[in-house]
Amino acid sequence: MSIQDSIAVVPDAAPIDDVEEAEGTLTGKEKVAYGFGDLGNGFMFDLGQAYLTKFWIDTAGIGPAVVALIFVLVKLFDAVMDTVAALFIDGRKVGKRGKFRPVMMVSAFVLAVMTVVTFTMPDVSMGWKIAFAAGSYAIWGGVYSFVNGPYGSLASVMTRNIKERAQLATSRQAGSLGAQWICGIAFIPIMMMLGGMTAQNYMWAAVAMSVLGMVSFVLCYRGTKEHVVVNREANKEKTGIKDYARAVLTNRPLLGLVLMSLFTISSMNVNNMMMIFFAEFNLGNIALMAVLNFVMIGASIVGIMFIPKLVVRFGKKRTVMVSFAIAVAANGLNFIIPTNLWTFMILVTIGYVALSIPNGITWAFVSDTIDYGEWHTGVRREGMTYAAFSFSRKVSQSLAALVGAGMLAVSGYVAQAAEQSDATLLGIKAVMTLYPALALTIAAIIIYFIYNMSDDKYRRIAKDLNEGRWEHGVIGESTRASLAVK
């Protein structure tokens, strides 16, 4: 009987108990330590997503349309850098400190420096300001690829246990939201304590966040290990672009995840980017941003703690679908209802919590698609698989910048003005509420029809991989020959 025959005897609807699953191996310390990695990421990545637009437009004086163009072009460049980072990471040998952790740690130090540089603006002509903003942010993005790629891939070699992967996803999302929460309630107050939202104070506030980010990455590096033993015999042979393309393009779950993330990540980024504008102009008090972030992100941190239980009870895909429905309803109502602090805060909190849960589960999806790719092709490509997913995140960030900064440009936003026109206020509100409602509707359709890997199917795949098998044979023996025929 062939390997494929032996898999087919277990139907998709098989009860969970009928499928053997990899045993859990992670300690509580490792699960928490993994989350510190995205806490570090957030202090540097989410900081830029939330405040660079405001910094460049109001402090540096760069026009909104130019800011949108910078974001779009740089993020596309970052997507190319993700591929470069993936080639480097996949080509590395496993050392005594693992395959991914050393690259992550060294790159994180450089990222901390570049985070401060992006929030620095020399006193030069406007053309040079634009060049400095674009150049420093492009370098920042290139370095970030060498941080986030190995960090994201790390989870796939920590465990294959579904519950533990959900716990790692929860820990990661908690770290990301924790950084958003701290930045959201502390970044502007730090500047106010230093004397106001000047270019120099933006830089010092960025220094404070970057130091916290570095400490977080050190804790992640020291507290995690790569437990899963991977058969990399097939990886030793010389590979080319076709091998990488095959590994990515034949991975249907990855395709679904990539397309879904275009809309989920852009929705969250638009929310974070425009909150400072909404608080200052639609609500009339920029200080309310800290209050809104305290409630909205704080509630999300509590909400994502239920991810492991929701995944075990309902499965990843069903949990994601229900969460999307709630987020769409909350954001849609928030657009329709006249602007009011209390209704806005309640609905934006519900919508953000409902979006944070799928974004948390996404990290478990990523690890699953890495394993699916190995099982389907016989060659494990963590770096390239994660790079494909990361590409969708970079494009989604470009989309968020295009929607957010682009709306400011077309609606007549006036930098440093005390008030904005009714058209601008409506545009800010539409981007904050209506765009997520529409985008998450599309995301729900994508995940429902394209992502075709149930938790039970993954358990069977994990069982094969633990036994050294892929879809058509034994890993390392006939992998290359089989792929050549396909």
Side-chain angles (χ1 to χ4, degrees), residues 7 10-16 19 21 160 162 165 252-254 311 314-319 361 364-365 367-369 371-372 375 447-448 450-463:
I7 295 171
V10 185
D12 285 344
I16 291 176
V19 183
E21 182 177 356
R160 283 192 176 124
I162 287 179
R165 283 194 171 175
R252 178 174 168 177
L254 176 62
V311 167
F314 302 106
K316 291 192 286 289
K317 187 171 179 177
R318 186 178 301 175
T319 301
I361 294 174
F365 278 148
S367 294
D368 291 354
T369 59
D371 284 341
Y372 175 84
W375 177 80
I447 201 68
Y448 181 81
I450 298 179
Y451 191 89
N452 63 337
M453 185 163 59
S454 66
D455 288 345
D456 285 338
K457 181 176 181 179
Y458 173 75
R459 287 184 172 93
R460 296 192 295 277
I461 290 172
K463 181 176 183 293

Side-chain angles (χ1 to χ4, degrees), residues 71-86 138 141-142 145 384 386-398:
F71 271 112
V72 170
L73 295 179
V74 170
K75 290 302 180 182
L76 294 176
F77 167 78
D78 289 352
V80 176
M81 289 305 300
D82 282 342
T83 304
V84 174
S145 296
M384 185 54 66
Y386 193 86
F389 170 68
S390 184
F391 172 79
S392 71
R393 293 174 64 82
K394 298 292 175 66
V395 174
S396 71
Q397 290 152 19
S398 296

Side-chain angles (χ1 to χ4, degrees), residues 77-78 81-82 85 137-147 394:
F77 167 78
D78 289 352
M81 289 305 300
D82 282 342
Y137 194 52
I139 295 171
W140 180 95
V143 175
Y144 182 72
S145 296
F146 284 86
V147 176
K394 298 292 175 66

Side-chain angles (χ1 to χ4, degrees), residues 1-10 464 469-474:
M1 178 180 291
S2 67
I3 298 297
Q4 199 165 11
D5 290 339
S6 67
I7 295 171
V9 297
V10 185
D464 276 338
R469 299 180 296 170
W470 66 296
E471 187 177 9
H472 299 294
V474 177

Side-chain angles (χ1 to χ4, degrees), residues 137-167:
Y137 194 52
I139 295 171
W140 180 95
V143 175
Y144 182 72
S145 296
F146 284 86
V147 176
N148 200 44
Y151 172 67
S153 300
L154 175 61
S156 71
V157 293
M158 288 179 68
T159 180
R160 283 192 176 124
N161 180 275
I162 287 179
K163 184 177 181 180
E164 286 188 335
R165 283 194 171 175
Q167 291 167 340

